[in-house]
Amino acid sequence: MRTLQAGYFPATPPEWFYAVMTLHGLGMVGVWFVAGLAAMSFLLTKYVRPSLTVSWIALGMTAVGVLLLVAATLVGKLGVGWYFLYPLPFFSEGTWPDWATAALFIALGVLGVAWTLWSGDVLRAIAGRYRLREALGWHYLSGRSDPEVPPIIIIATVSCIGVLAGLVAAVVILLLIGWEVLGGGAANDALLIKNLTFYFGHMLVNITMYFGVALVYEIMPAYTGRPWKTNTLVVLSWNTVLALVMFAYLHHLYMDFAQPRWLQVLGQLSSYLVSVPAAVVTIFSTLVLTYRSQTRWSLAPTLLYLGVMGWAIGGVAAMIDSTISVNQLFHNTLWVPAHFHTYYLMGVVLMTLGAVYHLAVTLTAEVENLKRSRIMAAHLVVGGYGLMLSFYLAGADSVPRRFAAYPAELTSGPMLAGISLVFILVLFGGLGLYLWDTGRLCARALRA
Ligand code: HEM
């Protein structure tokens, strides 16, 4: 996508860009959601017992959903973007066939059912040991710490309740659109569908980050030698997140002037407030956990630490954009991919890679080659932040997002896209080394 935006291969039809962008967006959001929930479920087995059967069903259904999405985008050239704006999927003007639109909705249905089952099962497993008020840590607020509840249980409970709430919105969307298309009902209200779509998308993305943070809470103490226990602050912050994360999505609709004004104000307030408890408490605790500790900075703690910092940097960029007066300038510019790539790629992805490396090293008891690990981490940081900077600078210069090729006036668009290619190669170098090293360890662990 950056190659085309840089102006190379101008003969490529733009529909290819939009089809690839749709697959990339849906694929990435899905992959890191699934990876985060899988890693968190695995770590949860220390305390509770999620069902292996449900995990396998979720994995199988996810594979079916992915195949449908690949077919819809790469074969059908469906190019609606990862959050499709209704009624765009039904107005292809011949660019993609009807079956591709059907495949998109069937895929979303299959994935929605799979992930509902999976998150519901995690909640069931937690309920097998803790009552809901205990799993949310409410007894800490009245000064009791019995039963002791590890932070990963509280974060998993908050996150899985959030997932279920988001997926309910997805079901409502599918029912409304299904009724219109198959049942011959009247056309749906586009603003209602947009609210539901962003509610679902925003929840899914936010919760994925919380999965990543749960991994940090559980694994980081093994390296710093300091325990990370639940206390009143942790309970208060994650319960506040549960209450506020439902409303932050409203910042995606600032430019929808038919939206009631009080909802816009609520969007700005909750966007500001939701970031304080989870992010500030986690970032501050990570610093306290590592400051003057005897941490041996091998790859796993380095990636977990960098992930928390990426979350912080992307979070600040997100808060800037969720300010209504700024959003009037930054809406749908490359600032948007800039901020979400920062807390995704440099946040949750690094956290998840760190967690997987931790498991691979633990299972094989391999002595880590620290020099190789540092080279890997340096590539990820330099390549990743170079790519991020190309997005931020373009966004600040009003280059719009989701453009296959930029008009001649936007000279900084192709220039920054071209420079970013160098950083993407550096990033891929680090990722390639990581995949080779971790793959080798995982293969050995599986054989054993
Ligand atoms: C090597 C790493 C990556 C590169 C080079 C990359 C590149 C891009 C580019 C060029 C776009 C289109 C920007 C625009 O003009 O609007 C994009 C969109 C997007 N990317 Fe990435 N990306 C990377 C990693 C990720 C990761 C790890 C995620 C995690 C979720 C992600 C999620 C998304 C999403 C959700 C979109 C929006 C798609 C849409 O607008 O429908 N990307 N990415």
Side-chain angles (χ1 to χ4, degrees):
M1 285 183 283
R2 285 310 253 166
T3 312
L4 294 184
Q5 286 177 333
Y8 300 127
F9 309 111
T12 313
E15 350 9 326
W16 265 110
F17 176 91
Y18 296 110
V20 169
M21 186 189 80
T22 305
L23 180 62
H24 168 73
L26 278 166
M28 284 290 143
V29 168
V31 158
W32 297 106
F33 173 87
V34 168
L37 185 47
M40 191 182 74
S41 304
F42 180 74
L43 293 176
L44 278 173
T45 55
K46 195 170 149 194
Y47 311 102
V48 296
R49 298 230 52 84
S51 152
L52 204 56
T53 314
V54 172
S55 301
W56 278 109
I57 294 174
L59 180 63
M61 290 177 74
T62 302
V64 172
V66 170
L67 284 178
L68 285 168
L69 287 179
V70 170
T73 49
L74 295 191
V75 183
K77 295 213 194 71
L78 177 95
V80 292
W82 91 269
Y83 55 86
F84 53 88
L85 281 184
Y86 168 87
L88 179 62
F90 302 101
F91 283 85
S92 68
E93 304 293 336
T95 309
W96 59 82
D98 288 346
W99 69 258
T101 303
L104 168 76
F105 286 114
I106 296 171
L108 293 180
V110 172
L111 294 174
V113 172
W115 299 348
T116 304
L117 276 177
W118 197 8
S119 321
D121 181 64
V122 170
L123 286 176
R124 179 207 54 76
I126 293 175
R129 177 157 175 195
Y130 304 94
R131 283 186 296 176
L132 180 62
R133 58 193 322 281
E134 291 170 349
L136 289 170
W138 289 352
H139 53 295
Y140 284 84
L141 300 179
S142 52
R144 288 184 297 115
S145 55
D146 183 36
E148 196 177 325
V149 185
I152 191 171
I153 296 283
I154 299 181
I155 304 175
T157 309
V158 167
S159 305
C160 289
I161 294 176
V163 172
L164 294 186
L167 289 170
V168 167
V171 171
V172 175
I173 298 172
L174 291 178
L175 288 177
L176 286 175
I177 291 183
W179 174 244
E180 178 189 331
V181 177
L182 303 174
N188 278 293
D189 181 325
L191 189 59
L192 172 67
I193 303 277
K194 187 169 178 185
N195 269 278
L196 288 165
T197 308
F198 275 102
Y199 179 82
F200 158 69
H202 193 87
M203 288 292 267
L204 205 71
V205 164
N206 265 253
I207 300 297
T208 304
M209 287 186 290
Y210 301 155
F211 290 157
V213 174
L215 307 180
V216 178
Y217 272 84
E218 189 61 21
I219 298 173
M220 202 65 183
Y223 293 92
T224 61
R226 292 178 185 159
W228 201 337
K229 291 204 161 154
T230 300
N231 56 30
T232 321
L233 205 59
V234 169
V235 172
L236 265 180
S237 62
W238 285 98
N239 278 273
T240 316
V241 166
L242 182 57
L244 289 178
V245 71
M246 318 257 173
F247 303 102
Y249 87 90
L250 289 162
H251 60 222
H252 290 280
L253 288 105
Y254 287 155
M255 295 301 124
D256 291 273
F257 302 112
Q259 184 90 333
R261 194 182 166 88
W262 64 271
L263 281 179
Q264 309 288 28
V265 175
L266 184 63
Q268 176 161 335
L269 283 178
S270 43
S271 306
Y272 274 43
L273 293 176
V274 77
S275 49
V276 176
V280 174
V281 170
T282 306
I283 292 158
F284 187 69
S285 309
T286 310
L287 292 175
V288 170
L289 211 62
T290 46
Y291 182 67
R292 293 203 170 163
S293 69
Q294 301 298 316
T295 308
R296 184 171 170 269
W297 288 100
S298 52
L299 191 63
T302 306
L303 292 183
L304 291 172
Y305 186 87
L306 287 171
V308 174
M309 296 311 139
W311 188 34
I313 298 168
V316 172
M319 275 178 75
I320 292 174
D321 198 21
S322 71
T323 310
I324 294 176
S325 53
V326 176
N327 192 270
Q328 286 178 339
L329 295 168
F330 280 7
H331 197 83
N332 276 348
T333 63
L334 278 177
W335 189 272
V336 181
H339 88 258
F340 70 68
H341 279 93
T342 312
Y343 56 59
Y344 247 136
L345 180 61
M346 303 312 289
V348 77
V349 172
L350 294 189
M351 293 176 195
T352 313
L353 297 187
V356 172
Y357 198 79
H358 165 77
L359 295 178
V361 170
T362 313
L363 289 173
T364 50
E366 157 122 349
V367 181
E368 187 179 328
N369 179 337
L370 280 183
K371 195 169 162 209
R372 191 169 55 213
S373 297
R374 297 225 163 100
I375 294 176
M376 242 185 270
H379 272 73
L380 295 177
V381 169
V382 173
Y385 279 106
L387 169 65
M388 295 309 112
L389 205 57
S390 80
F391 280 144
Y392 280 115
L393 291 176
D397 202 25
S398 300
V399 178
R401 69 181 287 204
R402 288 181 159 181
F403 267 44
Y406 299 114
E409 293 81 359
L410 292 172
T411 46
S412 61
M415 194 241 320
L416 287 164
I419 294 173
S420 77
L421 294 178
V422 178
F423 290 103
I424 293 171
L425 281 179
V426 175
L427 177 69
F428 281 178
L431 282 174
L433 203 55
Y434 173 91
L435 287 177
W436 171 77
D437 201 20
T438 316
R440 194 177 54 82
L441 292 178
C442 288
R444 193 188 308 162
L446 276 177
R447 274 199 303 275

